Structure formats: structure tokens, C-alpha cells
Amino acid sequence: MIDFNFIQIPEVITDKEAKDLIYFHKTHKHLCSEDNNAQYDGRKIQLENIRTQWIREIVRRLEYMIISEVAQYGSKVFPEQSEIMCQPIGSEITPHTDVYDNVVPKSEWAAVLYLNGSGVDYKGGNLRFTPCEMIPMGVEYVPKAREIVVFQGMEFQHSVTKVYRGDRYTLPMWFTTDFKDIRPEFPNP
């Protein structure tokens, strides 16, 4: 049985960096990728499609921070995937674990950097963990702007409540225990 670990690290980026990342997403919709899941289709810009160096440097800084944090829990992880995502009014993400269809996943840890905050920039959009043996009452986290949360997304079912006012912007990241799944360093041509 795995312990439920939920790490919160406040103010990991500046207010200007958060606003600039949101602006980048708003002005680069052409980079949004298609997805088989309607919850994500056209809402995310994968890091592989971003050539802007200052964004890649922010993500690299965050990845090093998270790798260091999860090492304290005995996990050796590598960056697997990162993206900038927008959840518009009316959207939500249904309960899921971070696994892929027909693939044995090795993404043990997930992290979400909140670029804007619930109750300030949007309403709703809370991260919710489904009750289970390790968290019988479940857990609900109200996002704070510029705070990153880290958790075992493959082990614990989680969801995002409906966004009611404003758009919710995040920078989700996943980390693998298999070095062969490390995200490519250079962007797609």
C-alpha cells in the first residue's frame, strides 16, 4: 500500500512569469494539440511544441525542483511530459489516474503549477482526490496562483471540479521512473 503524499510549494514562479505564461497560451492557440479525450482537446500546448527559451527554462527549473522533492520520498524520477493548459468556463476533468491506454505506465508522480488562483481569477477548478483506503474522506485542494502541488497521480484517482467563472491556467507535469521515457530536450521542428 502506498502512502498518500501531497506536496505544496508556494510561489515557485514570479507573478510576471505566471502572467506571461498565460499570455503565451492565449496568443499561441495554433500550438494547442489535439487529443482523443474531449476534456483536453485543443486546450494544451505541449512543451515539445514550444520553442520559446524562457518558457523552457522555467519548466526546467521546476522539473529540477520536483525531482529533488520526490527524491525525499525515495523516488528517482525523470521529466516525462509538460504542457501549458487552459480550462475554460464550464469545463472539468473527470476522475482518473494518470495511465495510458494499452501501455504500462511508469509515471509515478505528477505536478501541477497553478498560473492563476481559484476564487481570484476563476471560480471552481479545484483538484479533488477520490476517497480510498489511504484517504477515506478524500482531499480537495483549492488552487493558489504560483503554487505547485506534487502527488502520485498514477496511484490516486483525482479530478478537477467544474470551472464556473474565468479561465483556469495550469502547467501540469508528469515524471517517469524509466529514463527511456524522458521527454526530448529539444522542441519538435
Side-chain angles (χ1 to χ4, degrees):
M1 186 178 319
I2 292 186
D3 289 337
F4 176 72
N5 297 298
F6 188 76
I7 305 164
Q8 293 175 248
I9 310 169
E11 299 181 2
V12 296
I13 61 172
T14 67
D15 189 51
K16 181 181 181 336
E17 288 172 327
K19 288 177 179 172
D20 287 348
L21 287 165
I22 291 170
Y23 182 77
F24 181 87
H25 191 283
K26 288 179 177 180
T27 58
H28 290 77
K29 297 275 187 197
H30 62 283
L31 295 177
C32 287
S33 57
E34 294 180 9
D35 198 292
N36 293 337
N37 188 329
Q39 298 178 114
Y40 309 112
D41 190 33
R43 296 182 181 167
K44 61 185 181 179
I45 302 174
Q46 295 179 327
L47 189 63
E48 300 87 77
N49 297 323
I50 298 174
R51 293 175 179 266
T52 308
Q53 192 59 34
W54 66 266
I55 294 176
R56 298 183 72 78
E57 288 170 4
I58 289 172
V59 172
R60 183 177 298 120
R61 185 177 77 216
L62 295 169
E63 289 170 344
Y64 286 136
M65 178 189 310
I66 293 162
I67 288 167
S68 174
E69 282 292 324
V70 301
Q72 298 175 42
Y73 295 86
S75 294
K76 184 175 183 177
V77 296
F78 307 95
E80 181 182 31
Q81 182 179 339
S82 298
E83 54 201 33
I84 303 172
M85 178 180 251
C86 174
Q87 282 189 263
I89 295 171
S91 66
E92 62 187 321
I93 299 176
T94 57
H96 66 281
T97 53
D98 296 333
V99 297
Y100 310 106
D101 296 332
N102 302 320
V103 176
V104 177
K106 296 175 186 83
S107 298
E108 286 192 14
W109 291 84
V112 180
L113 168 60
Y114 295 91
L115 301 177
N116 56 357
S118 181
V120 177
D121 303 301
Y122 59 90
K123 186 172 178 167
N126 295 344
L127 175 61
R128 180 179 288 163
F129 290 90
T130 306
C132 64
E133 186 175 354
M134 293 306 296
I135 44 173
M137 300 298 288
V139 172
E140 187 159 332
Y141 167 77
V142 178
K144 297 173 186 72
R146 303 183 303 134
E147 182 164 276
I148 199 163
V149 297
V150 185
F151 55 94
Q152 296 121 317
M154 194 173 93
E155 298 293 336
F156 296 94
Q157 191 175 65
H158 52 284
S159 60
V160 175
T161 63
K162 187 174 281 191
V163 177
Y164 289 102
R165 180 180 54 87
D167 293 334
R168 175 186 188 262
Y169 287 91
T170 59
L171 200 160
M173 297 179 270
W174 293 267
F175 295 83
T176 180
T177 55
D178 188 344
F179 70 91
K180 291 179 275 186
D181 290 334
I182 293 175
R183 184 195 69 249
E185 183 57 34
F186 298 102
N188 289 334

